[in-house]
Amino acid sequence: MGKYNVDKMGFYGNYGGAYVPEILYKTVENLKDSYEAIIDSDEFKKEFHDLLRDYVGRPSPLYYARRMSGKYGCQLYLKREDLNHTGAHKINNALGQILLARKMGKTRIIAETGAGQHGVATATVCALMDMPCTVYMGALDVERQHVNVERMRMLGAEVVPVESGNKTLKDGTNEAIRDWCCHPADTFYIIGSTVGPHPYPELVARLQSVISEEIKWQLQEKTGRDYPNWLMACVGGGSNAAGTIYHYLDDERVKIILGEAGGLGNDTGMTAASLQTGTTGILHGSRIKLMQTDDGQIVEPYSISAGLDYPGTGPMHCNIYETGRAQVLSANDDEALRAAYELTRLEGIIPALESSHALALLPKVAGQFKKDDVVVLTVSGRGDKDLDTYLANKDKIK
Ligand SMILES: *Cc1c(COP(=O)(O)O)cnc(C)c1O
């Protein structure tokens, strides 16, 4: 294991760990002690990879974006997670975790969701595997993400609106943890990003690492070299970024650029850039950088992109930010909107608003690129779900 991977105690440098209530201690220990042997087994690997191929549609293409390359003075390749079944990278993780749950003898699945994307991915794999599924979602998010709620219900999941707190993602997560505390023996909690108590951040990163596994051989085929000069991705909790960088973490020839959601601007308080504006604390079982008051109360993050407004960022990313392994920048709402229109017009690809936050960094970092530099940017999802937002804001694009 390299120096940016998790250590035996579940930490990435100063971040991570497993701060869980006593009632969950045994459940989390059990997961920690069994997940590696299971996901490293030939049986699991075959089942996972067969489904990634036949059900998710992997490998996702690595696409050379000719016009964008010309514009930004580099060799830009897009890793097309937007082409996966259900429209984003989240299905890779949900599928891996439900296979793990079955191997561990669990019979019931719970999940939290904010924008609804992870809820849909989880409900999807529960339908596939014929397992009962309960999704906790803040009541305000239930209203805002109506289409995804109907999707989950059509897939057979029970969606529970959570009325506590601000009625958003953090409250949905709290309620999922409460459920888990009541049913630790039969229930598996499918967490949607590289967050939560150890071993979840590492488990999710491992399951998403299929992204960089594919980038390696796809780059070898296309450029004759299995590594890029630059990797770029957006960060909410951190899972698509973790998947993109996983197999290059210790390869210092490869520079990493991560994009947080700056909302209306990091100095306005209306932001979701928790790495750049947050402070260290404990949230959902893990020591991370998060947005909080001096008293340790969570500050509601803001971004135009529902998938990026988690109040913290996973421990792996906190560590690579702090140690300087990754450059972390933010893109504001308007910059992300502009980037989405640009990719649409130059390449005919309508990206998710979340992914647009990675694209929006290109004009900010292009000065660091040399013409022959290979840049791989992960398009984490497709923009169908964001069409209303794109149309409502089209006069902001000049
Ligand atoms: C959920 C989501 C994200 C943010 O989550 P990460 O765990 O940071 O990857 C990014 N893009 C899309 C399309 C999403 O659905």
Side-chain angles (χ1 to χ4, degrees):
M1 278 286 130
K3 69 177 181 188
Y4 298 106
N5 287 99
V6 74
D7 68 21
K8 280 205 166 49
M9 303 301 291
F11 281 85
Y12 302 82
N14 296 319
Y15 301 96
Y19 300 85
V20 295
E22 197 174 327
I23 195 162
L24 285 178
Y25 178 76
K26 256 176 62 185
T27 308
V28 173
E29 279 288 293
N30 185 26
L31 177 63
K32 186 188 85 183
D33 293 340
S34 36
Y35 86 96
E36 270 187 302
I38 294 175
I39 69 176
D40 285 336
S41 70
D42 290 340
E43 191 186 314
F44 179 94
K45 280 189 196 157
K46 178 164 177 12
E47 218 175 329
F48 186 39
H49 284 277
D50 283 356
L51 283 168
L52 285 176
R53 185 190 61 222
D54 300 334
Y55 188 71
V56 175
R58 303 200 72 92
S60 66
L62 184 70
Y63 165 69
Y64 175 65
R66 186 180 57 82
R67 294 180 67 197
M68 292 280 285
S69 293
K71 173 146 194 188
Y72 291 108
C74 64
Q75 304 300 309
L76 178 67
Y77 290 84
L78 302 176
K79 183 58 174 160
R80 299 288 308 276
E81 295 300 300
D82 57 309
L83 293 175
N84 293 340
H85 180 43
T86 70
H89 66 291
K90 288 203 172 71
I91 190 85
N92 305 326
N93 169 55
L95 184 62
Q97 284 197 51
I98 202 168
L99 293 176
L100 174 60
R102 293 210 314 177
K103 297 254 182 289
M104 292 181 69
K106 306 289 180 178
T107 54
R108 174 175 177 263
I109 298 295
I110 59 171
E112 84 296 334
T113 197
Q117 296 298 106
H118 173 58
V120 169
T122 304
T124 299
V125 297
C126 285
L128 177 70
M129 298 291 166
D130 191 20
M131 284 176 85
C133 177
T134 305
V135 179
Y136 291 95
M137 189 169 185
L140 185 62
D141 289 337
V142 170
E143 260 171 52
R144 291 193 291 198
Q145 308 292 337
H146 184 69
V147 175
N148 276 340
V149 172
E150 292 312 323
R151 251 187 218 139
M152 288 183 262
R153 290 187 171 142
M154 181 165 175
L155 287 158
E158 183 194 359
V159 179
V160 180
V162 176
E163 300 285 350
S164 59
N166 295 321
K167 310 182 186 190
T168 60
L169 175 60
K170 151 184 79 69
D171 312 293
T173 305
N174 288 341
E175 209 52 39
I177 292 174
R178 220 162 278 150
D179 177 315
W180 200 24
C181 287
C182 296
H183 310 94
D186 66 345
T187 297
F188 193 96
Y189 180 12
I190 299 190
I191 292 185
S193 191
T194 44
V195 298
H198 178 66
Y200 276 102
E202 187 63 17
L203 169 62
V204 175
R206 283 282 304 274
L207 295 172
Q208 291 290 1
S209 72
V210 64
I211 298 173
S212 47
E213 199 180 299
E214 289 172 3
I215 291 172
K216 276 203 147 172
W217 63 258
Q218 289 172 321
L219 275 182
Q220 182 70 47
E221 266 182 28
K222 286 178 199 296
T223 70
R225 209 180 72 179
D226 73 354
Y227 66 95
N229 300 91
W230 304 86
L231 285 169
M232 298 178 70
C234 66
V235 206
S239 68
N240 87 87
T244 302
I245 64 181
Y246 196 86
H247 290 290
Y248 296 109
L249 267 172
D250 287 294
D251 186 343
E252 309 265 355
R253 295 171 301 186
V254 182
K255 297 182 204 81
I256 298 169
I257 300 174
L258 304 178
E260 293 195 287
L264 301 182
N266 287 349
D267 50 2
T268 65
M270 297 287 282
T271 177
S274 47
L275 286 173
Q276 294 167 91
T277 69
T279 52
T280 301
I282 290 170
L283 180 65
H284 302 139
S286 176
R287 189 162 191 273
I288 57 176
K289 278 195 171 294
L290 53 99
M291 296 168 55
Q292 58 186 335
T293 65
D294 292 342
D295 300 335
Q297 296 300 301
I298 298 305
V299 174
E300 193 74 11
Y302 165 78
S303 164
I304 194 171
S305 149
L308 295 182
D309 63 3
Y310 186 69
T313 307
M316 173 197 278
H317 308 70
C318 293
N319 184 47
I320 60 176
Y321 172 59
E322 189 170 278
T323 56
R325 176 69 185 93
Q327 265 184 73
V328 177
L329 301 166
S330 43
N332 297 351
D333 289 357
D334 289 356
E335 294 168 333
L337 288 165
R338 226 171 286 133
Y341 274 86
E342 178 177 85
L343 185 72
T344 304
R345 295 292 167 84
L346 289 184
E347 301 287 349
I349 297 169
I350 303 179
L353 255 172
E354 292 83 4
S355 322
S356 305
H357 285 75
L359 292 158
L361 299 186
L362 285 167
K364 301 179 190 232
V365 300
Q368 301 180 49
F369 298 155
K370 295 194 199 77
K371 181 144 189 340
D372 292 332
D373 279 3
V374 172
V375 180
V376 175
L377 184 151
T378 293
V379 180
S380 54
R382 57 178 171 249
D384 308 29
K385 67 182 179 57
D386 299 313
L387 221 58
D388 289 345
T389 310
Y390 287 146
L391 293 178
N393 290 283
K394 71 171 182 296
D395 49 320
K396 290 195 183 139
I397 315 304
K398 278 281 159 323

